[in-house]
Amino acid sequence: MNNKNDEIKVKFWGVRGSYPVANKDFLEYGGNTACVEVNAAGHTIILDGGTGIIELGDKIFKEHILSADNVFERTPINVTMILSHIHQDHIQGLNFFKPMSVITTRLALFGYSGFESDLNETLSELIYGKSFPINLYDVTADYSMNDITESDIVILNKNNPEPVMKRITSINDVTPKGEEVIISCMKSNSHPNFGVMCFKIAYKNKSVVYATDTECYYGGSKKIELFAKDADLLIHDAQYTTEDYLSVVSPKQGYGHSTFDMAAETANSANVKRLACFHFEPSYNDDKLKKIETELNIKNKNYFLAKEGMEICI
């Protein structure tokens, strides 16, 4: 996905929550779990590593192979990956991300584990070693794993392929200068057990906010509203309908996920230009999601449901 001029380009590779779905009734919106690609100023940024990252990795790998015959003459793969948290549906595709097997790949991963062990140790225990045929230290790519907090930003610069993480010391730090891309974060404590990080990607005077696995409750989340204020695109968790969330038989309150109404309320309060509802309940088929989207469009024509393969230019 090539970037032109001052655009931020967003592509959805996985939009489901909880677990992937393979069924003919789920083809329009898609069945892969969370993964979003963002391209700004020529930098490839991947948000979360659910099963959607597998197809994205295949695309990146193919482009790399076709760039030259000789391994070391091929265009290097430079990727910045952001993990909102380490629950299974956000990391289950990482093992099968083909660029991890390319010796010239540079992968800088930033994320939040929430555990006493750091991100590198946590991922190594969760998805490698005992649960996979290879260990993390057997990975061929040149990778780094970095724990990130609300006090940190990641800076991507046109003249430096290596992202830089630094502590925020001034409000000016979170404002991009020139060709900088700034990634900032905000912790939401509503998702069990250790919370989740929401991320903002800013380039020039544009911004995309990624707020998955957060439960806003009714009345909205003031913290997210301030973080996402005036964003060009808000990608917001919308796992449940209000009916399912408030169900007498099986209520979903406290599960750490929002409803479509909550996402719309947050988008309205934050004055965002567009809202992409995301992280759908895996039992919601295309017919159900179409009805939900129709009702959402009545509230605001710029509010919609994300679909696998959907691309947005900002």
mmCIF file with all atom_site columns, all heavy atoms in Angstrom, residues 4 90 172:
data_model
loop_
_atom_site.group_PDB
_atom_site.id
_atom_site.type_symbol
_atom_site.label_atom_id
_atom_site.label_alt_id
_atom_site.label_comp_id
_atom_site.label_asym_id
_atom_site.label_entity_id
_atom_site.label_seq_id
_atom_site.pdbx_PDB_ins_code
_atom_site.Cartn_x
_atom_site.Cartn_y
_atom_site.Cartn_z
_atom_site.occupancy
_atom_site.B_iso_or_equiv
_atom_site.pdbx_formal_charge
_atom_site.auth_seq_id
_atom_site.auth_comp_id
_atom_site.auth_asym_id
_atom_site.auth_atom_id
_atom_site.pdbx_PDB_model_num
ATOM 1  N N   . LYS A 1 4   ? 0.837  8.408   -1.071 1.00 0.00 ? 4   LYS A N   1
ATOM 2  C CA  . LYS A 1 4   ? 1.021  9.510   -1.988 1.00 0.00 ? 4   LYS A CA  1
ATOM 3  C C   . LYS A 1 4   ? 0.837  10.827  -1.252 1.00 0.00 ? 4   LYS A C   1
ATOM 4  O O   . LYS A 1 4   ? -0.072 10.989  -0.450 1.00 0.00 ? 4   LYS A O   1
ATOM 5  C CB  . LYS A 1 4   ? 0.024  9.419   -3.148 1.00 0.00 ? 4   LYS A CB  1
ATOM 6  C CG  . LYS A 1 4   ? 0.217  8.197   -4.042 1.00 0.00 ? 4   LYS A CG  1
ATOM 7  C CD  . LYS A 1 4   ? -0.812 8.185   -5.149 1.00 0.00 ? 4   LYS A CD  1
ATOM 8  C CE  . LYS A 1 4   ? -0.641 6.943   -6.039 1.00 0.00 ? 4   LYS A CE  1
ATOM 9  N NZ  . LYS A 1 4   ? -1.656 6.895   -7.113 1.00 0.00 ? 4   LYS A NZ  1
ATOM 10 N N   . HIS A 1 90  ? -5.449 -10.908 19.304 1.00 0.00 ? 90  HIS A N   1
ATOM 11 C CA  . HIS A 1 90  ? -4.634 -9.798  18.804 1.00 0.00 ? 90  HIS A CA  1
ATOM 12 C C   . HIS A 1 90  ? -3.191 -10.207 18.525 1.00 0.00 ? 90  HIS A C   1
ATOM 13 O O   . HIS A 1 90  ? -2.407 -9.379  18.064 1.00 0.00 ? 90  HIS A O   1
ATOM 14 C CB  . HIS A 1 90  ? -4.678 -8.631  19.794 1.00 0.00 ? 90  HIS A CB  1
ATOM 15 C CG  . HIS A 1 90  ? -6.046 -8.020  19.897 1.00 0.00 ? 90  HIS A CG  1
ATOM 16 N ND1 . HIS A 1 90  ? -6.388 -6.856  19.245 1.00 0.00 ? 90  HIS A ND1 1
ATOM 17 C CD2 . HIS A 1 90  ? -7.164 -8.439  20.535 1.00 0.00 ? 90  HIS A CD2 1
ATOM 18 C CE1 . HIS A 1 90  ? -7.665 -6.578  19.502 1.00 0.00 ? 90  HIS A CE1 1
ATOM 19 N NE2 . HIS A 1 90  ? -8.152 -7.529  20.280 1.00 0.00 ? 90  HIS A NE2 1
ATOM 20 N N   . ASN A 1 172 ? 4.444  19.853  22.746 1.00 0.00 ? 172 ASN A N   1
ATOM 21 C CA  . ASN A 1 172 ? 4.978  19.935  21.385 1.00 0.00 ? 172 ASN A CA  1
ATOM 22 C C   . ASN A 1 172 ? 5.504  18.587  20.900 1.00 0.00 ? 172 ASN A C   1
ATOM 23 O O   . ASN A 1 172 ? 5.621  18.363  19.690 1.00 0.00 ? 172 ASN A O   1
ATOM 24 C CB  . ASN A 1 172 ? 6.100  20.978  21.328 1.00 0.00 ? 172 ASN A CB  1
ATOM 25 C CG  . ASN A 1 172 ? 5.596  22.387  21.581 1.00 0.00 ? 172 ASN A CG  1
ATOM 26 O OD1 . ASN A 1 172 ? 4.471  22.726  21.197 1.00 0.00 ? 172 ASN A OD1 1
ATOM 27 N ND2 . ASN A 1 172 ? 6.408  23.209  22.231 1.00 0.00 ? 172 ASN A ND2 1
#
